[in-house]
Amino acid sequence: MFFRLKMAALVMAIMNAWVFRRTAYRRVAEWDLDPVPPRGARVTGALSLTLLAFIITTGRMMAYSAYWFG
């Protein structure tokens, strides 16, 4: 169960990075002029950190799946 969740989160993280490169990253040169990065970049960053934490947590929980669901 945890492995499938981890793989789904990994696919979502890859899609998040792809969408970021196709949208917000194209205007990265304009970011130097703004005091705060654009909302799309901040949302993408927050989603990336959340998915990374979820991937790490589910990876650690795979060792206990037999205990909980066995």
Side-chain angles (χ1 to χ4, degrees):
M1 177 178 151
F2 289 115
F3 179 75
R4 289 183 180 145
L5 288 173
K6 180 178 179 173
M7 290 299 113
L10 185 60
V11 168
M12 290 181 355
I14 292 169
M15 288 176 27
N16 182 41
W18 181 77
V19 168
F20 174 74
R21 289 286 290 183
R22 301 285 292 171
T23 59
Y25 189 73
R26 290 184 177 188
R27 294 180 305 275
V28 74
E30 300 169 10
W31 297 1
D32 289 338
L33 306 174
D34 297 334
V36 177
R39 183 178 179 162
R42 289 182 286 151
V43 168
T44 302
L47 185 59
S48 294
L49 289 174
T50 303
L51 287 170
L52 179 63
F54 187 77
I55 289 169
I56 291 169
T57 302
T58 52
R60 297 291 296 166
M61 296 308 292
M62 281 193 289
Y64 304 107
S65 63
Y67 174 75
W68 285 358
F69 304 109

